[in-house]
Amino acid sequence: MANYNVDDMGWSDARNLLRKWRDDNERKSDDVMQLWDNVLSSKQSKLGNERHLVLEQVIIAALDCNRIETAEHCVSILSAEFPGSLRIQKYRSMLLEALERYDDALDELEQIIRKDETNAAPRKRKVAILKTQGRTAEAIKELCDYMKVFMSDQEGWHELCNLYLAEGEYAKAAFCMEELLLHNPHSHLIHQRLADIRYTMGGIENIEMAKTHYCKAVKLNVNNLRALYGLFLCCGHICNSKAVVAKRKEAQKLAQWAMAQIQSRTQPAKQDTKGAIKSGKSRTAGGDDELQALEQAFGGLEVGKVAN
């Protein structure tokens, strides 16, 4: 809170500041707790209609700062005023989660889901708890059930892909990324990640698919070095495979182009003045060393010639 002096602030200033952070979607948990402790905790009655919003904001900040007693106090106030609220029940489950009472937190979330099956937040919290406990298989099952209801949730597909990768289920992870491509076909990062998965799976068919997605990623973002490296590796595999000669020649040209693009983006730019050239010698030498290391790393991939 470098721009604010808590000691000089009145309750209305603190209220307005918290309102601004809520509107801007900023957590600022440490700052929220300072305002609560020094200004607002004893002025709750003056907050009017914003009192409940402030209490919710303080609950989140207290959990972030491991201020469990403050979070419990605010949750108890809201629970007394809204005993049947699913929203307050969600905060109770978050408090139980912070206390590492995961089974009790899961029970609370199950109650919320049974009362409102369209509520996405408790389903996501349930997956997060299962993941925290290391119960990856159960987290995958729960997230699959969630995706059947909320099929357009892109974050859910990303998380399901990560869980499948953690379990070594590359084909299912690739399916998740393909679903994401349907929602966002012009994202070079999604194409790149799908290509990474296909390349990891291995086999000439997956390498061909990886090459296609790396090409698309480079087309969407010419500065994507990871996609260029991946494209070079895929082409190297195809050149050394038993594919038809036409495919191997095409892969050879593409690999040479990819390496040229990598070199143009990793080598330092040429200097025009003599003084700049002298000062840049050490940097140029460093770039040559990097290029030499790159060539040694890819030395096993012979893309210079294609045998008939």
Side-chain angles (χ1 to χ4, degrees), residues 211 231-232 234-240 245-259 302-308:
K211 178 176 75 70
L231 179 58
F232 180 83
C234 288
C235 292
H237 278 284
I238 295 171
C239 286
N240 294 322
V245 175
K247 277 191 175 182
R248 284 186 283 161
K249 286 185 176 180
E250 179 187 357
Q252 173 193 340
K253 293 179 181 179
L254 195 54
Q256 291 171 348
W257 176 85
M259 180 54 68
E302 298 178 0
V303 296
K305 298 179 181 179
V306 175
N308 294 324

Side-chain angles (χ1 to χ4, degrees), residues 229 232-233 259 263 287-302:
Y229 282 124
F232 180 83
L233 288 171
M259 180 54 68
Q263 290 176 354
D288 292 339
D289 293 339
E290 292 177 0
L291 180 59
Q292 185 177 2
L294 177 65
E295 290 174 347
Q296 290 176 357
F298 295 149
L301 302 175
E302 298 178 0

